[in-house]
Short mmCIF file of all heavy atoms in Angstrom, two decimals:
data_model
loop_
_atom_site.label_atom_id
_atom_site.label_comp_id
_atom_site.label_asym_id
_atom_site.label_seq_id
_atom_site.Cartn_x
_atom_site.Cartn_y
_atom_site.Cartn_z
N MET A 1427 8.28 27.42 -13.75
CA MET A 1427 9.71 26.98 -14.08
C MET A 1427 10.62 27.29 -12.93
O MET A 1427 11.49 26.51 -12.59
CB MET A 1427 10.12 27.72 -15.39
CG MET A 1427 11.43 27.27 -15.81
SD MET A 1427 11.95 28.21 -17.34
CE MET A 1427 12.22 29.80 -16.66
N ILE A 1428 10.45 28.55 -12.40
CA ILE A 1428 11.27 28.89 -11.21
C ILE A 1428 11.04 27.97 -10.02
O ILE A 1428 11.96 27.55 -9.36
CB ILE A 1428 11.17 30.37 -10.89
CG1 ILE A 1428 11.71 31.18 -12.08
CG2 ILE A 1428 11.87 30.75 -9.61
CD1 ILE A 1428 11.48 32.70 -11.92
N LEU A 1429 9.81 27.64 -9.77
CA LEU A 1429 9.44 26.72 -8.73
C LEU A 1429 10.16 25.41 -8.87
O LEU A 1429 10.74 24.88 -7.92
CB LEU A 1429 7.93 26.50 -8.66
CG LEU A 1429 7.10 27.71 -8.20
CD1 LEU A 1429 5.62 27.41 -8.40
CD2 LEU A 1429 7.31 28.11 -6.76
N LYS A 1430 10.13 24.93 -10.07
CA LYS A 1430 10.77 23.61 -10.36
C LYS A 1430 12.26 23.77 -10.14
O LYS A 1430 12.89 22.88 -9.51
CB LYS A 1430 10.46 23.21 -11.84
CG LYS A 1430 11.21 21.96 -12.33
CD LYS A 1430 10.57 20.71 -11.59
CE LYS A 1430 11.30 19.41 -11.99
NZ LYS A 1430 10.88 18.30 -11.31
N ASN A 1431 12.88 24.85 -10.65
CA ASN A 1431 14.28 25.06 -10.49
C ASN A 1431 14.70 25.20 -8.94
O ASN A 1431 15.82 24.92 -8.62
CB ASN A 1431 14.76 26.28 -11.25
CG ASN A 1431 14.72 26.03 -12.68
OD1 ASN A 1431 14.62 24.85 -13.15
ND2 ASN A 1431 14.72 27.06 -13.55
N LEU A 1432 13.74 25.72 -8.16
CA LEU A 1432 14.04 25.74 -6.76
C LEU A 1432 14.00 24.38 -6.01
O LEU A 1432 14.42 24.31 -4.91
CB LEU A 1432 12.93 26.55 -5.99
CG LEU A 1432 13.05 28.15 -6.17
CD1 LEU A 1432 11.86 28.76 -5.30
CD2 LEU A 1432 14.33 28.71 -5.68
N GLY A 1433 13.44 23.38 -6.70
CA GLY A 1433 13.30 22.12 -6.06
C GLY A 1433 11.96 21.79 -5.45
O GLY A 1433 11.77 20.81 -4.74
N VAL A 1434 11.00 22.65 -5.83
CA VAL A 1434 9.56 22.39 -5.37
C VAL A 1434 9.02 21.18 -6.21
O VAL A 1434 9.34 21.13 -7.39
CB VAL A 1434 8.78 23.63 -5.62
CG1 VAL A 1434 7.33 23.41 -5.35
CG2 VAL A 1434 9.32 24.84 -4.71
N GLN A 1435 8.23 20.39 -5.56
CA GLN A 1435 7.76 19.22 -6.26
C GLN A 1435 6.31 19.28 -6.64
O GLN A 1435 5.86 18.64 -7.59
CB GLN A 1435 7.96 18.03 -5.39
CG GLN A 1435 9.40 17.51 -5.24
CD GLN A 1435 9.65 16.84 -3.99
OE1 GLN A 1435 9.96 17.43 -2.91
NE2 GLN A 1435 9.49 15.53 -3.97
N TYR A 1436 5.49 19.94 -5.83
CA TYR A 1436 4.03 19.92 -6.08
C TYR A 1436 3.53 21.44 -6.25
O TYR A 1436 4.21 22.36 -5.83
CB TYR A 1436 3.21 19.40 -4.82
CG TYR A 1436 3.57 17.94 -4.56
CD1 TYR A 1436 4.67 17.53 -3.88
CD2 TYR A 1436 2.63 16.97 -5.00
CE1 TYR A 1436 4.91 16.22 -3.61
CE2 TYR A 1436 2.96 15.62 -4.76
CZ TYR A 1436 4.05 15.26 -4.06
OH TYR A 1436 4.27 13.92 -3.74
N CYS A 1437 2.36 21.53 -6.81
CA CYS A 1437 1.73 22.94 -6.86
C CYS A 1437 0.16 22.81 -6.66
O CYS A 1437 -0.43 22.04 -7.43
CB CYS A 1437 2.09 23.57 -8.18
SG CYS A 1437 1.38 25.27 -8.32
N ILE A 1438 -0.31 23.46 -5.65
CA ILE A 1438 -1.72 23.47 -5.51
C ILE A 1438 -2.35 24.41 -6.57
O ILE A 1438 -1.89 25.54 -6.80
CB ILE A 1438 -2.12 24.03 -4.12
CG1 ILE A 1438 -1.56 23.14 -3.02
CG2 ILE A 1438 -3.62 24.22 -4.03
CD1 ILE A 1438 -1.71 23.71 -1.56
N ILE A 1439 -3.39 23.89 -7.28
CA ILE A 1439 -4.01 24.71 -8.27
C ILE A 1439 -5.51 24.60 -8.07
O ILE A 1439 -6.09 23.52 -7.76
CB ILE A 1439 -3.77 24.08 -9.73
CG1 ILE A 1439 -2.29 23.94 -10.03
CG2 ILE A 1439 -4.49 24.88 -10.84
CD1 ILE A 1439 -1.61 25.22 -10.35
N GLY A 1440 -6.16 25.75 -8.21
CA GLY A 1440 -7.69 25.84 -8.12
C GLY A 1440 -8.25 25.74 -6.72
O GLY A 1440 -9.32 25.31 -6.47
N HIS A 1441 -7.44 26.09 -5.75
CA HIS A 1441 -7.97 26.23 -4.41
C HIS A 1441 -9.11 27.12 -4.34
O HIS A 1441 -9.23 28.15 -5.09
CB HIS A 1441 -6.88 26.64 -3.41
CG HIS A 1441 -7.21 26.42 -1.96
ND1 HIS A 1441 -8.17 27.22 -1.33
CD2 HIS A 1441 -6.82 25.50 -1.13
CE1 HIS A 1441 -8.28 26.78 -0.10
NE2 HIS A 1441 -7.47 25.67 0.06
N SER A 1442 -10.12 26.84 -3.57
CA SER A 1442 -11.36 27.63 -3.63
C SER A 1442 -11.04 29.06 -3.23
O SER A 1442 -11.75 30.04 -3.66
CB SER A 1442 -12.49 27.06 -2.71
OG SER A 1442 -11.99 27.04 -1.37
N GLU A 1443 -10.01 29.29 -2.48
CA GLU A 1443 -9.63 30.64 -2.05
C GLU A 1443 -9.07 31.41 -3.20
O GLU A 1443 -9.06 32.64 -3.33
CB GLU A 1443 -8.63 30.63 -0.88
CG GLU A 1443 -9.41 30.23 0.39
CD GLU A 1443 -8.55 29.54 1.47
OE1 GLU A 1443 -7.33 29.58 1.39
OE2 GLU A 1443 -9.14 28.98 2.40
N ARG A 1444 -8.48 30.70 -4.24
CA ARG A 1444 -8.02 31.30 -5.48
C ARG A 1444 -9.17 31.42 -6.44
O ARG A 1444 -9.27 32.49 -7.20
CB ARG A 1444 -6.88 30.52 -6.15
CG ARG A 1444 -5.72 30.28 -5.35
CD ARG A 1444 -4.61 31.23 -5.41
NE ARG A 1444 -4.80 32.38 -6.25
CZ ARG A 1444 -4.52 33.62 -5.89
NH1 ARG A 1444 -4.00 33.85 -4.66
NH2 ARG A 1444 -4.67 34.62 -6.71
N ARG A 1445 -9.99 30.53 -6.41
CA ARG A 1445 -11.23 30.60 -7.34
C ARG A 1445 -12.04 31.81 -6.97
O ARG A 1445 -12.54 32.54 -7.84
CB ARG A 1445 -12.09 29.33 -7.30
CG ARG A 1445 -11.45 28.06 -7.87
CD ARG A 1445 -12.38 26.85 -7.77
NE ARG A 1445 -11.73 25.60 -8.05
CZ ARG A 1445 -11.82 24.93 -9.18
NH1 ARG A 1445 -12.57 25.41 -10.20
NH2 ARG A 1445 -11.26 23.73 -9.39
N ARG A 1446 -12.17 32.00 -5.67
CA ARG A 1446 -12.94 33.12 -5.13
C ARG A 1446 -12.31 34.44 -5.60
O ARG A 1446 -12.98 35.48 -5.76
CB ARG A 1446 -12.99 33.05 -3.67
CG ARG A 1446 -14.14 33.84 -3.01
CD ARG A 1446 -14.26 33.62 -1.52
NE ARG A 1446 -13.05 33.97 -0.83
CZ ARG A 1446 -12.59 33.33 0.20
NH1 ARG A 1446 -13.17 32.31 0.68
NH2 ARG A 1446 -11.52 33.79 0.82
N LEU A 1447 -11.01 34.51 -5.77
CA LEU A 1447 -10.26 35.70 -6.12
C LEU A 1447 -10.16 35.81 -7.67
O LEU A 1447 -9.40 36.69 -8.14
CB LEU A 1447 -8.93 35.70 -5.54
CG LEU A 1447 -8.89 35.94 -3.98
CD1 LEU A 1447 -7.51 35.73 -3.42
CD2 LEU A 1447 -9.37 37.33 -3.64
N GLY A 1448 -10.78 34.91 -8.43
CA GLY A 1448 -10.81 35.13 -9.86
C GLY A 1448 -10.30 34.04 -10.81
O GLY A 1448 -10.33 34.14 -11.98
N ASP A 1449 -9.69 32.97 -10.17
CA ASP A 1449 -9.25 31.87 -11.00
C ASP A 1449 -10.47 31.13 -11.63
O ASP A 1449 -11.24 30.44 -10.94
CB ASP A 1449 -8.38 30.92 -10.19
CG ASP A 1449 -6.92 31.31 -10.15
OD1 ASP A 1449 -6.62 32.55 -10.49
OD2 ASP A 1449 -6.07 30.55 -9.82
N THR A 1450 -10.55 31.29 -12.94
CA THR A 1450 -11.65 30.54 -13.63
C THR A 1450 -11.21 29.15 -14.04
O THR A 1450 -10.04 28.83 -13.85
CB THR A 1450 -11.96 31.31 -14.94
OG1 THR A 1450 -10.82 31.31 -15.78
CG2 THR A 1450 -12.40 32.71 -14.66
N ASP A 1451 -12.10 28.33 -14.49
CA ASP A 1451 -11.74 26.99 -14.95
C ASP A 1451 -10.72 27.04 -16.03
O ASP A 1451 -9.86 26.20 -16.12
CB ASP A 1451 -13.04 26.24 -15.41
CG ASP A 1451 -13.95 25.86 -14.28
OD1 ASP A 1451 -13.49 25.45 -13.27
OD2 ASP A 1451 -15.18 26.07 -14.44
N GLU A 1452 -10.85 28.05 -16.87
CA GLU A 1452 -9.97 28.16 -18.00
C GLU A 1452 -8.51 28.50 -17.45
O GLU A 1452 -7.52 27.96 -17.94
CB GLU A 1452 -10.44 29.31 -18.87
CG GLU A 1452 -9.67 29.28 -20.25
CD GLU A 1452 -9.87 30.65 -20.96
OE1 GLU A 1452 -10.72 31.45 -20.53
OE2 GLU A 1452 -9.17 30.84 -22.04
N ILE A 1453 -8.43 29.40 -16.51
CA ILE A 1453 -7.08 29.70 -15.93
C ILE A 1453 -6.54 28.56 -15.23
O ILE A 1453 -5.32 28.17 -15.35
CB ILE A 1453 -7.25 30.87 -14.97
CG1 ILE A 1453 -7.55 32.19 -15.67
CG2 ILE A 1453 -6.02 31.10 -14.09
CD1 ILE A 1453 -7.93 33.41 -14.84
N ILE A 1454 -7.40 27.79 -14.52
CA ILE A 1454 -6.94 26.63 -13.79
C ILE A 1454 -6.36 25.57 -14.78
O ILE A 1454 -5.32 24.97 -14.53
CB ILE A 1454 -8.08 26.02 -12.94
CG1 ILE A 1454 -8.35 27.03 -11.82
CG2 ILE A 1454 -7.89 24.61 -12.43
CD1 ILE A 1454 -9.70 26.87 -11.08
N ASN A 1455 -7.10 25.35 -15.93
CA ASN A 1455 -6.59 24.49 -16.87
C ASN A 1455 -5.23 24.83 -17.50
O ASN A 1455 -4.26 24.09 -17.61
CB ASN A 1455 -7.64 24.39 -18.11
CG ASN A 1455 -7.21 23.50 -19.21
OD1 ASN A 1455 -6.91 23.98 -20.34
ND2 ASN A 1455 -7.12 22.23 -19.00
N LYS A 1456 -5.05 26.18 -17.69
CA LYS A 1456 -3.72 26.69 -18.17
C LYS A 1456 -2.69 26.44 -17.07
O LYS A 1456 -1.52 26.11 -17.45
CB LYS A 1456 -3.87 28.19 -18.42
CG LYS A 1456 -4.55 28.54 -19.73
CD LYS A 1456 -4.34 30.09 -19.94
CE LYS A 1456 -5.01 30.63 -21.16
NZ LYS A 1456 -4.80 32.09 -21.20
N LYS A 1457 -3.02 26.63 -15.86
CA LYS A 1457 -2.01 26.46 -14.75
C LYS A 1457 -1.66 25.03 -14.64
O LYS A 1457 -0.44 24.68 -14.50
CB LYS A 1457 -2.58 26.98 -13.45
CG LYS A 1457 -2.63 28.54 -13.38
CD LYS A 1457 -3.11 29.04 -12.02
CE LYS A 1457 -3.08 30.59 -11.95
NZ LYS A 1457 -3.42 31.07 -10.65
N ILE A 1458 -2.60 24.14 -14.77
CA ILE A 1458 -2.31 22.67 -14.73
C ILE A 1458 -1.28 22.39 -15.85
O ILE A 1458 -0.31 21.67 -15.61
CB ILE A 1458 -3.56 21.81 -14.87
CG1 ILE A 1458 -4.51 22.11 -13.67
CG2 ILE A 1458 -3.19 20.32 -14.96
CD1 ILE A 1458 -4.58 21.13 -12.56
N LYS A 1459 -1.58 22.83 -17.04
CA LYS A 1459 -0.75 22.53 -18.21
C LYS A 1459 0.67 23.07 -17.94
O LYS A 1459 1.62 22.35 -18.24
CB LYS A 1459 -1.33 23.19 -19.46
CG LYS A 1459 -2.51 22.37 -19.99
CD LYS A 1459 -3.10 23.08 -21.22
CE LYS A 1459 -4.27 22.32 -21.80
NZ LYS A 1459 -5.20 23.05 -22.58
N ALA A 1460 0.74 24.30 -17.37
CA ALA A 1460 2.10 24.84 -17.18
C ALA A 1460 2.89 24.11 -16.15
O ALA A 1460 4.09 23.92 -16.18
CB ALA A 1460 1.95 26.35 -16.73
N VAL A 1461 2.17 23.65 -15.12
CA VAL A 1461 2.84 22.94 -13.99
C VAL A 1461 3.27 21.60 -14.49
O VAL A 1461 4.45 21.17 -14.24
CB VAL A 1461 1.69 22.72 -12.85
CG1 VAL A 1461 2.07 21.59 -11.93
CG2 VAL A 1461 1.61 24.05 -12.10
N VAL A 1462 2.50 20.81 -15.26
CA VAL A 1462 2.93 19.53 -15.67
C VAL A 1462 3.99 19.66 -16.75
O VAL A 1462 4.93 18.83 -16.78
CB VAL A 1462 1.78 18.60 -16.15
CG1 VAL A 1462 0.78 18.34 -15.11
CG2 VAL A 1462 1.13 19.18 -17.40
#
Side-chain angles (χ1 to χ4, degrees):
M1427 183 183 70
I1428 294 176
L1429 291 172
K1430 178 68 182 178
N1431 291 343
L1432 282 183
V1434 173
Q1435 288 153 271
Y1436 296 84
C1437 183
I1438 297 172
I1439 304 285
H1441 194 284
S1442 63
E1443 288 153 15
R1444 301 268 6 133
R1445 292 180 191 260
R1446 200 174 61 215
L1447 290 171
D1449 273 17
T1450 60
D1451 289 316
E1452 192 194 352
I1453 291 172
I1454 289 163
N1455 178 247
K1456 283 185 179 178
K1457 288 184 175 182
I1458 299 257
K1459 285 177 178 156
V1461 158
V1462 299

